[in-house]
Amino acid sequence: MAPSSYRNFASVALPVFVILCCPGLRPAASALVQEQPLVLKYHNGPLLKGNVTLNLLWYGAFSPAQRSIILDFLHSFSASAASQPPSVSSWWRTTAHYKGGPSNLAVGVQILDESYSLGKSLKTGQLAALASKVGYKSIKTKALAINLVLTSTDVAVDGFCMSRCGTHGSGAAGKAKFTYAWVGNAVSQCPGQCAWPFHQPQYGPQTPPLVAPNGDVGVDGMVINLATVLAGTVTNPFNNGYYQGVAGAPLEAVSACTGIFGKGAYPGYPGQVLVDKTTGASYNAIGVHGRKFLLPAMWDPKTFACETLV
């Protein structure tokens, strides 16, 4: 079922572009200048609250190990999956501070498209078409869902690596609306842009990269971008929820905090995070099966600040 129309709302911007402009990312020396609180204005639109299904379309070549990393991350959002702190579920609970209460995510339908049904170069409209395919049942029943398209490392997507690392938006199939999100594996295309801080940045301050917690720079980078677009989707699903700036290029729950992973972050430095004593990998969140992840800061409407887990 192809959507009759779609709108692309927000993208995960390349870190170098956002790090240089966003509040909360300045070195300590600039603390002498009093900063104004970061405020994401609520624009009175509907949010995705309550039980929300995540339908996944794996587009291209993903190994079972790669799918396992991402699925463990998504399963970790549930409160019932709470692990030892700092947990992925406690990070996600910040979205409950937005109007309407918690957003309870659960994985639903999964489709493997290993034959690249639309080729290896995709336009934004094709992402929406793929999303409507995996979300057909949810769209038909008007159930709350996010239809998620994940593209493998050999798939080019319009704007990928040039202006975005992922995106979310909405579409319409007849009278039914749906939300979708997309994130791509950047390891062979632009790891310094869309998999930072696990790869040397392509531009800006050249700090040593962190060791990826699951040993896969591309997929661990996808987790960061997934966290960004999912938080943006539930708090600004139809471009009239929470955001700062103009509607065409909004700063959302996580994208307003780009580049911050721990205390003391500033441009080019992700902040103080935890380090696995055995592997040397950096992380700040623990999920199901003891899986470790590095998650970005999220704006908390209770504190009007970008909050980190560590």
Side-chain angles (χ1 to χ4, degrees):
M1 177 177 64
S4 57
S5 63
Y6 71 90
R7 294 184 68 188
N8 179 46
F9 294 143
S11 299
V12 185
L14 302 178
V16 66
F17 298 141
V18 180
I19 285 174
L20 302 178
C21 69
C22 295
L25 294 175
R26 301 174 178 82
S30 66
L32 296 174
V33 179
Q34 187 172 1
E35 297 178 10
Q36 295 299 314
L38 175 62
V39 177
L40 303 190
K41 182 181 177 181
Y42 176 51
H43 295 79
N44 301 312
L47 310 183
L48 297 187
K49 296 294 181 174
N51 296 327
V52 181
T53 300
L54 285 175
N55 299 312
L56 277 69
L57 189 146
W58 305 88
Y59 192 87
F62 286 93
S63 70
Q66 289 177 323
R67 293 199 301 269
S68 177
I69 293 169
I70 291 175
L71 285 172
D72 279 353
F73 172 58
L74 298 178
H75 287 308
S76 299
F77 281 42
S78 169
S80 63
S83 57
Q84 65 189 81
S87 67
V88 173
S89 60
S90 64
W91 177 84
W92 184 250
R93 277 199 296 273
T94 300
T95 61
H97 299 168
Y98 290 70
K99 185 179 178 65
S103 302
N104 307 311
L105 303 187
V107 175
V109 174
Q110 294 186 63
I111 294 178
L112 301 182
D113 188 344
E114 297 175 311
S115 63
Y116 306 87
S117 60
L118 298 181
K120 291 188 176 182
S121 181
L122 301 177
K123 301 294 185 182
T124 299
Q126 292 175 305
L127 295 176
L130 290 169
S132 71
K133 176 182 178 182
V134 72
Y136 175 79
K137 183 176 180 180
S138 296
I139 296 169
K140 186 176 180 180
T141 60
K142 298 184 179 180
L144 286 182
I146 301 171
N147 302 316
L148 184 59
V149 178
L150 304 173
T151 53
S152 60
T153 184
D154 55 346
V155 177
V157 176
D158 189 31
F160 191 32
C161 296
M162 293 184 287
S163 61
R164 60 183 183 172
C165 302
T167 193
H168 76 87
S170 73
K175 295 182 179 180
K177 290 184 178 181
F178 66 92
T179 60
Y180 72 91
W182 157 75
V183 167
N185 187 332
V187 71
S188 65
Q189 299 183 51
C190 55
Q193 295 168 302
C194 294
W196 183 86
F198 303 127
H199 191 280
Q200 199 81 12
Q202 184 166 343
Y203 307 105
Q206 296 296 302
T207 54
L210 304 182
V211 177
N214 295 288
D216 190 315
V217 169
V219 174
D220 279 307
M222 288 182 75
V223 166
I224 294 173
N225 296 323
L226 267 172
T228 304
V229 297
L230 289 176
T233 303
V234 300
T235 59
N236 187 32
F238 302 107
N239 211 30
N240 53 7
Y242 284 87
Y243 67 87
Q244 182 191 71
V246 297
L251 293 177
E252 300 178 324
V254 174
S255 60
C257 306
T258 298
I260 305 175
F261 296 90
K263 304 299 182 186
Y266 57 82
Y269 173 60
Q272 299 174 11
V273 297
L274 303 176
V275 177
D276 187 291
K277 294 180 180 179
T278 302
T279 64
S282 295
Y283 69 100
N284 61 8
I286 302 173
V288 297
H289 307 131
R291 182 87 72 174
K292 295 174 180 176
F293 304 99
L294 187 68
L295 301 182
M298 188 188 308
W299 183 78
D300 190 334
K302 287 188 174 181
T303 63
F304 295 98
C306 294
E307 300 290 354
T308 60
L309 283 172
V310 297

